[in-house]
């Protein structure tokens, strides 16, 4: 059995959760990391998260809706109306986002496609509305979240992508693990947003050209996270702590 990479998504500015996952994955033998988007937004540690990610020895990332919404404010571009409830918070993130990381985020793709060990992989934050894959974030290109996912909904979301053997995604913060024929759909759950003090990720293995996925939850100390929400006066901080961390 060969470990291909560690897969995680939706870090949401939570540096302590990310560090716990990176440390655990390395201990498990991971040498490559893949992130399914939403590295920033919600949590307060924007630059710290991006510094750790961009300095990993081998990492690939796709951009998420929070990342794009923050960048729209950073670069003075139209902001998505659907995210208007989060605009004050996103503006705070954008104000603190360092230019060097903003420029790197801006260059990230929305999809990552590759073949490894003759296995076909697709990584994206979430599927796109028909004809919207290239549309700016202000036009809400991502499909609405399906609240109760199952194999039928995976086919509805990703039916055009079924030639892939592995489809990794995020956006919806709960764990998804579904199979349709040869296609394995994997969302390990949000790394940085969880009711428990645990950071979630997956290890993706290959054995006899078949995919094996191991889901892990790593305990971490949230003291630093909650302290930062309060001391930095993060906009909507009390709501965010309750909604995403309890």
């Amino acid at each position: 059995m060969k470990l291909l990479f560690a897969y995680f998504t939706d870090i949401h500015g939570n540096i302590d959760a990310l560090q716990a996952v990176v440390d655990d994955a390395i201990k498990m033998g991971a040498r490559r990391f893949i992130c399914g988007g939403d590295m920033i937004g919600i949590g307060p540690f924007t630059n710290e998260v991006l510094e750790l990610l961009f300095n990993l020895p081998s990492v690939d990332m796709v951009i998420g809706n929070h990342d794009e919404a923050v960048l729209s404010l950073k670069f003075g571009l139209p902001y998505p109306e659907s995210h208007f409830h989060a605009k004050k918070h996103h503006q705070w993130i954008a104000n603190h986002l360092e230019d060097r990381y903003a420029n790197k985020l801006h260059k990230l793709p929305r999809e990552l496609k590759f073949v490894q060990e003759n296995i076909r992989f697709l990584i994206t934050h979430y599927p796109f509305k028909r004809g919207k894959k290239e549309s700016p974030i202000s036009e809400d290109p991502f499909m609405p979240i399906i609240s109760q996912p199952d194999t039928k909904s995976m086919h509805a979301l990703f039916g055009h992508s079924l030639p892939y053997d592995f489809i990794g995604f995020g956006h919806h913060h709960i764990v998804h693990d579904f199979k349709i024929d040869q296609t394995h759909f994997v969302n390990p759950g949000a790394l940085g947003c969880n009711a428990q003090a645990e950071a979630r990720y997956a290890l993706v293995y290959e054995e006899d050209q078949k995919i094996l996925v191991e889901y892990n939850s790593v305990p971490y100390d949230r003291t630093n996270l909650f302290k930062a929400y309060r001391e930095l006066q993060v906009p909507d901080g009390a709501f965010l702590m309750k909604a995403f961390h309890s």
Side-chain angles (χ1 to χ4, degrees):
M1 187 166 63
K2 180 179 180 181
L3 176 54
L4 301 181
F5 55 85
Y7 178 64
F8 49 76
T9 184
D10 294 85
I11 303 163
H12 285 297
N14 188 340
I15 185 60
D16 298 292
L18 176 60
Q19 187 67 67
V21 162
V22 169
D23 291 344
D24 191 72
I26 290 174
K27 183 176 66 176
M28 297 294 291
R31 296 295 178 264
R32 184 184 185 192
F33 298 86
I34 297 180
C35 180
D38 273 3
M39 286 71 75
I40 63 174
I42 298 179
F45 297 110
T46 302
N47 297 304
E48 294 87 345
V49 160
L50 296 175
E51 179 179 10
L52 177 54
L53 287 172
F54 285 120
N55 283 285
L56 288 172
S58 179
V59 62
D60 293 288
M61 292 178 271
V62 295
I63 198 164
N65 61 298
H66 279 263
D67 307 317
E68 291 200 43
V70 169
L71 288 178
S72 71
L73 297 171
K74 179 74 174 179
F75 295 131
L77 301 172
Y79 183 80
E81 290 188 10
S82 63
H83 290 51
F84 188 78
H85 62 284
K87 187 173 183 179
K88 182 179 179 182
H89 174 76
H90 281 162
Q91 186 65 65
W92 185 87
I93 298 290
N95 292 344
H96 289 82
L97 174 59
E98 294 182 13
D99 292 346
R100 55 177 173 159
Y101 296 133
N103 292 329
K104 288 183 177 182
L105 270 181
H106 183 65
K107 294 177 182 178
L108 293 179
R110 282 179 169 174
E111 290 186 332
L112 177 66
K113 302 175 182 179
F114 61 95
V115 177
Q116 189 172 357
E117 304 293 331
N118 293 318
I119 299 171
R120 299 160 296 179
F121 291 88
L122 169 65
I123 309 294
T124 189
H125 187 59
Y126 209 64
F128 304 96
K129 298 173 184 175
R130 185 177 297 274
K132 291 285 190 178
K133 187 184 293 187
E134 306 299 329
S135 299
I137 192 63
S138 59
E139 296 182 13
D140 293 314
F142 293 100
M143 292 184 69
I145 286 176
I146 293 178
S147 59
Q148 295 182 331
D150 53 21
T151 53
K152 184 178 180 180
S153 61
M154 290 300 100
H155 196 284
L157 288 171
F158 294 101
H160 64 288
S161 301
L162 291 184
Y164 289 95
D165 302 298
F166 179 100
I167 298 179
F169 61 102
H171 193 43
H172 196 177
H173 289 180
I174 64 174
V175 176
H176 298 58
D177 186 286
F178 300 104
K179 291 182 180 179
I180 301 178
D181 298 326
Q182 84 280 12
T183 305
H184 197 159
F185 301 86
V186 173
N187 175 357
L191 181 153
C193 297
N194 193 356
Q196 287 75 42
E198 296 181 349
R200 297 170 290 187
Y201 79 105
L203 292 170
V204 181
Y205 295 87
E206 176 272 336
E207 185 174 40
D208 298 328
Q209 295 190 353
K210 294 182 180 179
I211 297 169
L212 300 174
V213 181
E214 175 185 311
Y215 295 91
N216 295 308
S217 290
V218 187
Y220 72 99
D221 188 348
R222 295 194 293 190
T223 303
N224 186 44
L225 176 68
F226 292 157
K227 180 180 178 182
Y229 269 117
R230 293 188 295 268
E231 292 188 351
L232 297 176
Q233 298 182 335
V234 178
D236 300 320
F239 165 77
L240 294 172
M241 282 190 283
K242 182 177 181 180
F244 294 102
H245 301 291
S246 66

